[in-house]
Every structure is written in structure tokens, then in C-alpha cells.
Amino acid sequence: MEVDDKMKTKTSSPGRVWTLLGELMEKSVMSIPPSVSVEEAMKAIESKLKGDQITASELVDALWFANTMTPYSKEPKTSFSCLSTMVKMINERKLVDEWLLRERLEPEILEVSGLVRTAQWWSKKVVITNTRIFYTQRKFNLLREESEGYSKLLVELVDLAVEPDLSDEDACSRRVQTVQSLIGFFDLDPTRVIDIALTALEIRDQRLTTDSPASFKLPLFFNVLLRQYRIEYITQLIGFKLQRYHEAKDGAKQDNVEKEGSRTDDRTLTPVLNVSALLVREGLVELDNLWPHLSPQDPASGEEDPLCLLETAFREKCKALAKKVQIVSLAKEENEKELTNEEELEILQRGPYEGSNCQKIGLLAASLRLGDWSTADVIITRLGTETASLDVALQSSVAQALTSLADSILAQAGDFAGSASHGSRKRGHLPLGRTEQGIVPPLSDVEGWLKDPSSHPLYDMLKVLRSNCYRDTRFLFRLTRFFASIENKESIHPDLFDLIVRDILLPGVSLTRCNAPLSVELWEAIQSVSLDKRFEYYHWLQREALAQNPILLVANAMTAKETRGVLRRLTKDNEKHTGRSLAKIAHGNCIPVFDAMLEQVKSYENIIPPLVESLRYVTNLAFDTLLYSCIQQLSNRDRDRLKQDGTNIAQWFANLCAFSGLVLRRYPASLEMKAFLAFAFNSMQDGDPLVIFLLSEVVSSMTGISIIEELSLSQIESLNAGPILKDIVITNVLSAGGTTISSKKSESKLRDELFASGLTSHLPIAVEQQRQDIIFSADFRSRPLKIIGNVYDRCQDFLTLYSEFLQHQNATKGTKNKRLSVLGVGDLVAYNVEPDIAFQLNRYQMDYLELEFDGGKKLGENDVGEAQDKKTETAMDESEDKTEAPEKPTENGTEKHQQQSFSLDFPLPEHIIKVRYPEDEPRSVERNELGVGAQDLFLPVT
């Protein structure tokens, strides 16, 4: 026979058996007319069953598959009739047990084959049997022995739940035998026994505090007891408990819940979720089986995720509250009870899923509290959608549990994290270590983690947490000190560096109110970061961070409103008291404070002096953000810097320039002036001539040198005298005009910044080129002549101020090591600087040479200042009407003067190109020929 021969040549593997049975059914049953008769097929099947090449179960499965592929029909000579004949012959020849055929085949084929009476009778019998097995509950006699059995069981389990954990396995075995004896003696339902055991664990969770060490592990007795049952049963019971807390989707279900008196608050649901998370960590419940029982259900294809809808509504509420904070309502009724802005913010800080019965978020928080990061990571991944991922850390319970877990890891990181020097291990830290339950391992190799953040789960935790760490101040302090303790910050991975500073610390401190020590700690941690990197982080905090955490948007609005309220009461008499109030506000959220402050500066010029004096109490971090805010406001190109007539500088720009100069003069040690120098220099290189007003204000304020337009004849004659009389005249004139003389600290700070940045020669060259561009540039030909003249005069004033500053500081005692030196006259002319300006800038070097050599003898460094004072006193003692011809210098003195060159005391950068032209060609310098060497000072301000 063809079929029998084909089956002989095949092996008896399961795949081959299914293939042969399928071909047999297709040829003998499904094909009409059949290519193989039923008798031949039966002979082949019977031979293989006797040879153990196929089993009865495989044969019945093949018959069931053929039954699903053949439609029901009562007509003869059809596929269904052939199949029913084959089933009948198999039953008559006793090839397969009758109960196996009834278990797997459909009722219609059983009826035609004569195995059951009718198909309808068989279906009804199946339903009755399933109902009796799965849905019929036994009737318990609660007045006799069964109530006694359950009461004894409840007392036993609750006592074992609340008492200390039994570590002895023999004692636990005896207790388990006691429970089994109660079940057998009183004939208790095992399902209800599991339910009572879970209830006992919930009671234990309510009695234990969250930071108790016993709350982090499952008692050994319950671990042994629950492992006596199948995992599926435990999951179904927990799912049944969770169903009581599902939100009703229609009015009828809601009414039924209210009538039954079921509690759906989070306080009742939390113990169930904590026990569920504990069982998932211990392996008694599988997360895949528990997930369908959690609410809300996963959305179907094309539907909106309810969690995403809740988060979107939460963000809209935050935006609405931020707008409401800035509006003053005068139509509020007296009897109307509304929540204040602070109360609304406190409600929003609880999270977007508060009160919505989101059991998935609750299970996530419970897993994090237990330290089960592996399960938490799976939940976070599942909560993400194809379009967006949820910010689960917005929920207060999740954020607090996550910060506690991360704080435990950092606390046990060793002395590298600074934990030993800042306090011992406190209560609430999770016991870390590699265990079978999936507890997070400790951070042993800190240096390796800094280079490869993915080597430890702490990096993933911080990515989820981000700015929501503001809820735990202790964690913020620990992370700040951890970052500050890293000596070589360049070895940190860039992603980890940005995550810690930009995404966690800066927004976290901004959301922490009035915490000056935290602000000081943060500044000590980030002060070594480059200036442009810090400004980049401030810009991200001002713009991008608001989209990440909507709470920060509300906090900024409330901070700005509070700042404006304080500034309304600012006067010259109460500047100290107001300064303390401003400092308290600016200790954390600095940028909104200074944005509101600068808006007031733009509008009111008379507020600048008391406002600068009120900044004496702010921290260094606040000063750094003030520097960023000033430069960001000065670089604003959306607002015209000229008035509508186009001939005068706008009031807001002039006020900002005056404020910048005054605040730099008042607090030179707290502000990095190189930011203003770099900003002004880069702006001039980009063709912005109006920045010369800022540069003039800064230099004039810090040096105390001002351009005096009106002087009497006696004052002009006094300026021809020595430096002492000159200073007296200038001081009297400036004091009469109400101008404050700068201190030596600000002047020294300016000298140090120019020396460190190497802009001593670059600034006057750039200003001089800008002065010439104003006249000949095509961009300014359309401007009114008045503004061109004003900018030209301001450039000339700056060059005069700069030359006076060079002359004054180089003659000061003890400044030889940091003496500012510009290029020589010839070199300046090569850069298209006018000869008179070049001679004016080099004039101070001639005065210094005269002081440096006394009678042909070179003086020491400390003797230069004494020689200057001596020369000044001698000049003042001479009579004014006595004039003598200057003596000719000696031969040796002449030679020494000729040997002294006007060269720099430090080498120029390599990218400074000196342009040399032939004698017959005119000298002209284009803008790009001056390599300014300020690329490292570039400030990315938009």
C-alpha cells in the first residue's frame, strides 16, 4: 500500500508523525473523492499504533484538526461523513479510549459517531460539570466546627505575621504542619486559607513602618507555606483582591460599589500592592500573570493610553496654575472658598496619578521601596508607549521610593562618595547585595561606573528620577557631595555628567525652597566646570527643563511673583532688609528672580543703586546665574537697542549697561568678568558696534576713570600735576557729580582678568577697528548721523579710558608680574590702528621706563612705587614759575633706554597673525586677520 510504504520510510519523530497523519487525513478525508480509502487508512493507523510509532493522543489530535477543517454536513460521501466513519471504526476497534475521544472531539462528530446521545445534550452536560467544578461554592456551617477552624487559623497566621521572623527552618516546619493539621481536621477550603494568609501579610505591612528592616523581606514561614500551592492560584486571588479597587466605568457599577461600602482609597490599596510586590520579588507571583489584573488595562491598538491622558491633563493643570499665579483677581467674593496657590501646588506635587487608582504605578512604587529594581525596570518599560514614555517619577510615591533606593546606593559607595565624612548610615537604607530576589548590588567600583555608567543600575535610576529628586533633600546633598568629591571631573562620561548637573542638581535645587547650604554645596561642586558649560546648563534650565517637569513652571511663576512683590518695597533706606528677602528667594530658584529683577532695571533707572546694594547676601551660585541673566538680556536681538527715532540708545539697554558696570564694581570677587569681556569682544567681531556702550560702562565703573566734559580752568591746570593732585581733583569732581569712585579690588580684578584672558591688546584693536567700520561700513550709511557720531565718540572715550587705566595700573607698586602690555606702535599700526591711538596706548610704557631706571641704575620691583612717590613729592615742591631745561641723559642711561623695547612680558598666542606689507603698498587689515584667541571664552547665548 502506498501510504503504508511511505510511513515505513519515515522516522518516528514528532514532526514526521504530524506530517504523515496530516497527509493521511488529507488523502482519506478531505479530498473528494478520496485517494485513499478509509479502510486502507485504518490499517496503516492500526499498524503504527501497535508498533508504538504514533500515540493515541497524537491520533486524536489529528482527528480534531481534521474536524476543524471539515464543515458539518449530513450528506453522504462528504469529508465530514468520511471522518465520522473513521472515528466510529477507531472506537469499535478500541484503538483509542472512548473518554479521550469525548474529551477532545467536537459534539457534532461525537453524535454522528454514536459516542454521545446528541450534541446538545453533551454540551449541556459539559456546562453543568464545569459549573460544579469551578463556580459552585461549598456551603459552610459557620455556627459549628468550621467557624472554629477558621478562627484558629486566623489567630495562628496573624500571630506569625506580626511576631519576629522565624529563622529556624525546623520551627517553621512545625508551624506549617500545625496549619496543615487545622486544614485537615476542620476540612477547611485551601483557597480561603491562601486568602487569609495574604490578609495576614497585609496586616503585617500596615503595622510595620516603611523604614523597618523587617518590611524588606518575606517571613520564612509564609514563604514555606505559600510554596505549598500553585503560583497561578495565588495570582488569581491577588487579582480578585485588586478587582475590588478598580474604578467603575459606568454609573451602575459605581452605585453597586457605593452600596457595598467598598473602600477605594489608596490607604487600603497600598498594603495589597506592597504584598504583591513582595511576592513578585520572592518569585511566588509572576509579573506577566499579575499584569492583566492591574488597572487601568493596557490600551488596544489605536486607543489612547489612560495614563498618558492623566499625565497630559496634569501638565495642563500646571500651565493653568502658572498663568493663574501671575493674574491678580479683584472679583473674588468674600464667602467664596478657593484654594490658595500654595495649596494647589501642594496637591499637584503629589503627582498626576493621585486619586485615580492607578494600580500599576502603585506596584512600581512598592517594588522600588523593596529595592526590586529588575521588576521596576520591567514595569517602567511596559508603561512606555510607542509615541511617548511616561514620566513616572512625577508621582510622589515613585519619586520618594526611587530617591531612597538611589540614596542607599550612594551611602554605601564608600569614602569616595563622601558618605563617611558627612554622616553615618541612617535608618531607611535598603540592605544591598546580590541575592536571588534581585536586590540592587552596591556601587563598589565608583571610578569604573563614572567612565561606563551602564555598568550599574544607578544610572538608569537617575535617568528616571531626573528633576523629581527635589522631594528628598538628603539625597540632593549626598549626590552634590558625591559629585564634588570627584577630583578628575574630565574622566566622567559626558552623558552621566550632563545627567547629574543639568537634569538633576540644577532643577532639583531650583525646586527646593530657601536652602542656602544646598546652594553653597552645589556651587562648590560645579565651580570648576567651564564657564560656557555652566551657561549652557543655565540656558537649558531656563528653557528646556520646563517641558520636562511642569512643577518647575509653577515654581518659576510663583518665584517671579514673590520677587516683584519684594522689589515694590525696595528703597535706599531698607536695602538691607530687602536684600535678605531677595537672598532667601534666590537661594534655590535663581534665574526667575534675576529675570524679574532685570525687567525692573530696564524700566526704572533709579532702582539700580539700591538693588545692587541689596545683592550682598546672595550666594556665589546666584551671582553666577545673575551673570548669565545679564548677558542673556544684553544679547537679546528681538528688542531694538535704539529708540524709535534711531538716534539715541534705548533706555532699557542703557540701564542694563549701567547695572552691569555697577554690579561688577561692587562684587568683583563674586563675578567672573571674563564673561563680559568675551561677550563684548565676540559681539564686536560679529559687527555689533552698540556693545561699546557696555564695554565703556564696565571699564569706567571698575577703574573709576570717567570722561569729564566740563572742567574749570584751575581743574584743567591741576590735571597737569602729579598723580596725587590729579586723583584729588578727579575725586572732587566725581563726588560733586554723584558718581561713586571704584575700589582697588575692582581695578585689580579687571587687570587680572585682562592678563589671564590675553585680551590686553585685542580689546583696543577691536574697538579701533570698530570705530573705523562705523564711518566706512555700508551697514551704517543708512543710520542717522547722530547715532554714528555717538558711537564714534564712545569708541574714542573707551580708548582714552583704557590708556589712562594702563598708565595708572602699570605704575602701581607690586604689579610687575601681572603688568599689562600692549603691542608696540609699529605692531598696532600694522593692525590698521591710527598712529595717534597707537602712541596713546604705548605712552604708559614710556612713563614706566622713566620710573624703572633711576640715574642709569635699574630699580628693583619693590622700588618702582617708591620712586614714583618720591618723584611726585619732588614735583609738587618745585615752584610753578620756575622752569628749567631738562638735563640730557648720560651716555649709559641713553644706551639703557635704547635697549629697552616695547615688547610683551608674555608670548602672544600662535593664532595672532601680524600682517606685514611692502613699503609701497598701503597697510590695511581685514577683520578676520585678527585671531583673537577667545574661542575658549565663547559664550553660547541665544
Side-chain angles (χ1 to χ4, degrees):
M1 184 175 59
E2 181 182 356
V3 176
D4 190 37
D5 295 339
K6 191 173 183 179
M7 293 183 69
K8 289 180 180 179
T9 59
K10 304 293 183 181
T11 60
S12 59
S13 62
R16 300 286 185 181
V17 171
W18 273 100
T19 303
L20 294 176
L21 287 175
E23 294 179 357
L24 179 62
M25 293 300 171
E26 182 179 359
K27 294 180 178 180
S28 62
V29 176
M30 299 180 184
S31 60
I32 302 298
S35 59
V36 178
S37 63
V38 178
E39 289 291 339
E40 295 177 353
M42 288 300 303
K43 291 179 181 180
I45 292 173
E46 188 173 0
S47 63
K48 294 303 175 183
L49 284 173
K50 292 180 179 180
D52 294 334
Q53 295 184 5
I54 60 175
T55 61
S57 178
E58 293 173 346
L59 177 59
V60 175
D61 288 341
L63 292 174
W64 171 83
F65 180 74
N67 187 16
T68 58
M69 300 298 294
T70 56
Y72 174 74
S73 177
K74 296 182 179 181
E75 299 293 333
K77 297 182 180 181
T78 59
S79 300
F80 188 80
S81 62
C82 295
L83 180 62
S84 61
T85 302
M86 182 180 291
V87 173
K88 188 174 182 180
M89 294 175 65
I90 291 173
N91 185 36
E92 290 175 352
R93 297 180 184 183
K94 305 298 182 182
L95 299 179
V96 178
D97 293 336
E98 185 176 348
W99 66 268
L100 189 59
L101 294 173
R102 290 180 178 178
E103 182 185 51
R104 302 189 183 182
L105 296 182
E106 300 295 330
E108 291 79 7
I109 194 71
L110 295 177
E111 179 183 358
V112 176
S113 303
L115 294 175
V116 297
R117 299 178 186 175
T118 60
Q120 184 178 3
W121 172 83
W122 180 250
S123 300
K124 184 177 180 181
K125 188 175 182 180
V126 169
V127 172
I128 293 174
T129 304
N130 289 335
T131 303
R132 184 177 68 253
I133 295 175
F134 298 106
Y135 298 101
T136 301
Q137 186 178 5
R138 296 173 55 190
K139 294 182 179 180
F140 299 100
N141 188 358
L142 301 180
L143 299 178
R144 296 183 61 188
E145 67 278 358
E146 291 178 351
S147 61
E148 181 183 358
Y150 282 112
S151 62
K152 291 180 179 293
L153 177 67
L154 183 61
V155 172
E156 184 75 17
L157 293 178
V158 173
D159 289 343
L160 290 172
V162 298
E163 70 180 10
D165 187 18
L166 297 176
S167 58
D168 188 3
E169 295 183 358
D170 296 335
C172 289
S173 300
R174 291 193 298 269
R175 292 296 185 95
V176 171
Q177 291 178 1
T178 301
V179 174
Q180 292 177 347
S181 301
L182 291 174
I183 295 174
F185 185 81
F186 292 101
D187 192 19
L188 302 180
D189 185 9
T191 305
R192 296 189 64 188
V193 172
I194 301 177
D195 184 47
I196 294 175
L198 295 176
T199 304
L201 288 176
E202 294 175 16
I203 296 174
R204 174 179 178 272
D205 181 78
Q206 291 178 347
R207 292 191 177 185
L208 294 176
T209 57
T210 56
D211 57 353
S212 175
S215 62
F216 298 136
K217 58 182 179 179
L218 181 68
L220 181 60
F221 166 76
F222 286 93
N223 197 348
V224 175
L225 177 64
L226 293 177
R227 291 188 185 277
Q228 305 287 333
Y229 299 90
R230 295 179 62 180
I231 296 178
E232 293 80 2
Y233 295 162
I234 302 176
T235 306
Q236 292 295 332
L237 282 175
I238 294 177
F240 179 75
K241 285 177 173 291
L242 294 174
Q243 287 178 2
R244 298 174 54 214
Y245 306 101
H246 285 179
E247 289 184 341
K249 295 184 179 180
D250 49 29
K253 291 184 179 180
Q254 184 69 30
D255 294 338
N256 293 334
V257 170
E258 293 177 358
K259 290 179 181 179
E260 293 175 2
S262 301
R263 298 182 61 188
T264 59
D265 55 341
D266 294 338
R267 293 174 297 176
T268 309
L269 180 62
T270 300
V272 181
L273 295 174
N274 291 340
V275 173
S276 303
L278 187 60
L279 296 179
V280 170
R281 195 192 70 177
E282 297 293 335
L284 292 171
V285 174
E286 295 183 0
L287 181 62
D288 294 336
N289 298 333
L290 182 62
W291 191 259
H293 298 284
L294 300 172
S295 66
Q297 298 293 329
D298 292 336
S301 179
E303 295 182 358
E304 291 287 344
D305 190 355
L307 295 179
C308 289
L309 295 177
L310 289 175
E311 185 173 332
T312 303
F314 173 76
R315 294 181 181 275
E316 293 297 331
K317 289 181 181 178
C318 291
K319 292 180 181 179
L321 180 58
K323 293 180 180 179
K324 178 185 175 183
V325 168
Q326 302 175 7
I327 298 175
V328 179
S329 178
L330 302 177
K332 183 177 179 181
E333 298 181 1
E334 296 180 357
N335 298 329
E336 185 179 0
K337 295 182 180 180
E338 293 184 359
L339 296 177
T340 61
N341 297 330
E342 290 74 13
E343 292 174 346
E344 292 187 13
L345 178 60
E346 183 179 357
I347 295 175
L348 289 176
Q349 286 178 344
R350 300 175 185 174
Y353 316 110
E354 186 72 17
S356 58
N357 196 18
C358 293
Q359 298 174 358
K360 296 177 181 178
I361 302 296
L363 181 64
L364 172 61
S367 300
L368 291 173
R369 279 193 292 268
L370 296 174
D372 189 7
W373 171 250
S374 58
T375 302
D377 191 20
V378 174
I379 296 176
I380 293 172
T381 305
R382 290 188 177 185
L383 290 177
T385 59
E386 297 179 357
T387 57
S389 58
L390 295 177
D391 190 359
V392 293
L394 288 174
Q395 188 69 17
S396 60
S397 58
V398 176
Q400 291 172 0
L402 194 56
T403 51
S404 177
L405 180 58
D407 186 67
S408 302
I409 297 174
L410 290 177
Q412 302 180 30
D415 296 339
F416 191 90
S419 58
S421 60
H422 295 286
S424 59
R425 180 172 176 263
K426 299 181 180 180
R427 293 186 62 197
H429 290 159
L430 298 176
L432 305 180
R434 294 186 180 274
T435 62
E436 297 179 356
Q437 291 79 14
I439 302 298
V440 180
L443 186 61
S444 56
D445 187 10
V446 179
E447 295 182 356
W449 178 71
L450 293 176
K451 298 178 181 178
D452 184 16
S454 60
S455 60
H456 194 274
L458 179 60
Y459 177 67
D460 297 327
M461 298 178 193
L462 296 179
K463 285 177 63 178
V464 176
L465 185 60
R466 292 186 182 271
S467 59
N468 297 284
C469 62
Y470 71 94
R471 305 175 190 274
D472 191 349
T473 308
R474 183 180 65 179
F475 171 73
L476 276 175
F477 270 104
R478 194 180 301 279
L479 183 61
T480 304
R481 290 167 180 170
F482 170 78
F483 184 78
S485 63
I486 303 174
E487 296 180 356
N488 186 15
K489 292 183 173 57
E490 296 179 357
S491 62
I492 305 177
H493 194 276
D495 295 340
L496 180 61
F497 194 96
D498 294 342
L499 177 64
I500 293 177
V501 179
R502 184 191 67 184
D503 298 341
I504 297 180
L505 293 181
L506 284 176
V509 173
S510 299
L511 290 170
T512 305
R513 184 174 177 82
C514 298
N515 198 329
L518 183 58
S519 179
V520 174
E521 293 275 358
L522 179 58
W523 174 247
E524 292 179 357
I526 68 172
Q527 64 178 346
S528 60
V529 182
S530 60
L531 184 64
D532 55 344
K533 196 69 174 178
R534 295 202 307 268
F535 278 24
E536 181 183 349
Y537 290 157
Y538 297 152
H539 178 74
W540 186 91
L541 179 63
Q542 187 181 22
R543 303 292 176 85
E544 304 298 332
L546 302 179
Q548 184 185 96
N549 194 339
I551 298 295
L552 186 59
L553 181 64
V554 182
N556 287 352
M558 298 181 68
T559 302
K561 180 181 179 181
E562 189 174 359
T563 303
R564 288 192 293 267
V566 173
L567 292 178
R568 291 192 191 101
R569 301 186 296 270
L570 176 61
T571 60
K572 187 177 180 180
D573 299 331
N574 64 354
E575 57 188 22
K576 289 186 178 181
H577 176 72
T578 306
R580 294 188 181 95
S581 302
L582 283 176
K584 290 180 181 179
I585 304 173
H587 282 331
N589 203 3
C590 309
I591 294 181
V593 173
F594 295 124
D595 285 345
M597 184 185 301
L598 293 179
E599 290 297 328
Q600 297 292 323
V601 169
K602 292 178 183 179
S603 303
Y604 308 104
E605 183 180 4
N606 56 351
I607 201 177
I608 295 177
L611 187 58
V612 172
E613 291 298 324
S614 65
L615 295 176
R616 66 181 68 181
Y617 301 106
V618 300
T619 59
N620 290 329
L621 178 63
F623 274 121
D624 201 48
T625 54
L626 173 61
L627 187 66
Y628 161 77
S629 298
C630 289
I631 295 179
Q632 192 267 341
Q633 296 284 351
L634 289 168
S635 62
N636 184 15
R637 299 299 179 88
D638 297 335
R639 192 171 180 180
D640 194 2
R641 299 181 181 181
L642 299 177
K643 293 183 178 180
Q644 294 182 356
D645 55 6
T647 58
N648 296 303
I649 298 296
Q651 185 67 30
W652 70 270
F653 186 70
N655 292 350
L656 282 180
C657 294
F659 175 80
S660 302
L662 195 58
V663 76
L664 284 172
R665 182 203 63 81
R666 182 63 177 83
Y667 310 102
S670 302
L671 295 169
E672 296 189 29
M673 188 188 173
K674 64 180 180 181
F676 279 97
L677 296 177
F679 167 71
F681 188 83
N682 294 331
S683 299
M684 286 189 294
Q685 289 299 105
D686 294 337
D688 183 11
L690 299 181
V691 77
I692 190 62
F693 290 90
L694 171 65
L695 199 57
S696 300
E697 287 288 346
V698 170
V699 174
S700 176
S701 298
M702 298 194 71
T703 60
I705 304 173
S706 302
I707 302 299
I708 305 174
E709 298 180 357
E710 297 181 359
L711 288 176
S712 62
L713 182 60
S714 60
Q715 291 174 343
I716 295 176
E717 293 177 353
S718 300
L719 293 178
N720 296 325
I724 296 179
L725 182 57
K726 185 186 298 185
D727 291 342
I728 293 174
V729 174
I730 294 176
T731 302
N732 294 333
V733 173
L734 294 179
S735 300
T739 306
T740 306
I741 307 300
S742 67
S743 62
K744 293 183 179 180
K745 294 182 180 179
S746 60
E747 185 177 355
S748 176
K749 179 68 173 179
L750 177 60
R751 182 187 67 249
D752 295 342
E753 291 294 344
L754 288 172
F755 183 84
S757 60
L759 293 175
T760 308
S761 299
H762 305 157
L763 277 180
I765 292 175
V767 173
E768 172 62 17
Q769 290 182 348
Q770 193 66 48
R771 187 182 67 162
Q772 298 180 17
D773 287 345
I774 293 170
I775 301 175
F776 301 105
S777 175
D779 297 336
F780 270 80
R781 291 180 181 177
S782 59
R783 298 277 186 177
L785 183 60
K786 183 177 180 180
I787 188 61
I788 297 176
N790 290 339
V791 176
Y792 184 90
D793 293 341
R794 189 56 66 97
C795 293
Q796 183 66 36
D797 293 344
F798 171 78
L799 295 173
T800 305
L801 290 173
Y802 197 76
S803 62
E804 290 291 334
F805 166 65
L806 293 176
Q807 183 177 1
H808 182 265
Q809 63 88 28
N810 280 278
T812 305
K813 179 180 179 180
T815 60
K816 182 177 180 180
N817 294 333
K818 292 186 179 182
R819 186 186 309 131
L820 300 180
S821 300
V822 297
L823 297 176
V825 176
D827 295 330
L828 291 176
V829 174
Y831 286 114
N832 204 20
V833 177
E834 294 293 335
D836 58 338
I837 301 298
F839 276 104
Q840 183 180 2
L841 292 175
N842 280 272
R843 181 180 178 182
Y844 73 95
Q845 298 197 57
M846 302 176 185
D847 296 339
Y848 185 80
L849 290 175
E850 186 178 359
L851 292 174
E852 188 175 11
F853 294 91
D854 186 10
K857 181 181 178 181
K858 187 174 182 178
L859 299 178
E861 177 185 355
N862 298 328
D863 299 331
V864 175
E866 297 178 0
Q868 181 187 8
D869 296 339
K870 183 178 179 180
K871 178 184 177 182
T872 303
E873 294 175 359
T874 304
M876 294 179 63
D877 293 338
E878 294 179 355
S879 61
E880 298 180 357
D881 55 345
K882 181 178 180 181
T883 57
E884 297 182 357
E887 299 180 358
K888 295 183 179 180
T890 61
E891 182 178 357
N892 296 333
T894 305
E895 292 178 357
K896 288 185 177 292
H897 277 278
Q898 291 176 354
Q899 292 175 1
Q900 181 69 22
S901 61
F902 301 105
S903 60
L904 294 173
D905 291 339
F906 55 92
L908 280 173
E910 296 180 357
H911 46 268
I912 296 254
I913 304 174
K914 294 183 180 181
V915 183
R916 299 296 184 182
Y917 294 89
E919 295 297 334
D920 55 344
E921 295 182 3
R923 293 184 176 182
S924 63
V925 178
E926 297 182 359
R927 297 180 58 82
N928 58 0
E929 292 177 341
L930 179 60
V932 298
Q935 286 81 357
D936 55 334
L937 297 176
F938 177 71
L939 305 176
V941 180
T942 58

